[in-house]
Amino acid sequence: MSILRAGLRVGTAVAVLAGLAVAVPQASAADRPTVKVSAKADSTTRALVQANPAAAAAAATVCGSGYTLSKGIPLPLGTDPNLRLGTLFAYGKSGSGCVILDNNVGKAQYMYLHICKVDGTGCDTDTGNFSEYAGPVYVSSFACAPVTAKMGSSSSSLYIDYKSEYVFPCD
């Protein structure tokens, strides 16, 4: 009788594990964060999202609902995207923009993020020591919006000092 019980226990355990193997991938796929990527996004942006979709989706969530990723920029410029220290994410929604500077260092760093409308008005800034990200900063009209992103061990010791005339398309 004990051989029969042992066989039943093994059979039950196998059935339970098989059921989990079928259910878990479906649950985890449904729980994975997603982000809408603009049709105009460049190959670098698409590669960043493909390599780490959770980071892009998390930044979009910080902006609020309904944002579409326009651009992802590994920083400092020229750095292999896998070795980046920060990532600038730019999102758009109905003509307005949101920007996040993601801290990829893994510890609190001085961070500065600034965006304005193309005419230099309507600026928004976030600065301080952050372990995850600076921002979100918003601009009401994102076409050609200039962006400044800085990051370092302090405001006088920067390893990222990025300034762009625009991070959103000028159309």
Side-chain angles (χ1 to χ4, degrees), residues 20-159:
L20 286 174
V22 170
V24 170
Q26 293 170 351
S28 63
D31 294 340
R32 267 187 250 151
T34 60
V35 61
K36 290 185 247 172
V37 179
S38 169
K40 297 178 182 180
D42 62 16
S43 60
T44 300
T45 301
R46 293 182 185 285
L48 283 170
V49 172
Q50 186 174 9
N52 194 347
T61 302
V62 171
C63 287
S65 64
Y67 279 89
T68 300
L69 180 63
S70 296
K71 191 143 184 93
I73 304 169
L75 297 172
L77 285 179
T79 302
D80 177 331
N82 295 320
L83 304 175
R84 67 190 180 276
L85 301 172
T87 308
L88 186 67
F89 289 108
Y91 298 87
K93 177 173 92 171
S94 303
S96 63
C98 173
V99 181
I100 303 287
L101 177 58
D102 195 24
N103 177 344
N104 302 128
V105 174
K107 63 181 180 178
Q109 297 292 289
Y110 167 79
M111 298 175 79
Y112 172 90
L113 187 58
H114 180 80
I115 191 167
C116 297
K117 291 196 282 187
V118 70
D119 65 3
T121 64
C123 299
D124 192 12
T125 303
D126 191 23
T127 187
N129 288 316
F130 305 113
S131 60
E132 293 184 31
Y133 57 84
V137 294
Y138 297 93
V139 64
S140 61
S141 175
F142 70 67
C144 298
V147 174
T148 302
K150 299 179 180 188
M151 187 171 160
S153 56
S154 70
S155 61
S156 60
S157 179
L158 300 173
Y159 46 80

Side-chain angles (χ1 to χ4, degrees), residues 1-11:
M1 196 72 145
S2 62
I3 295 175
L4 182 58
R5 279 189 189 160
L8 284 173
R9 285 184 184 159
V10 169

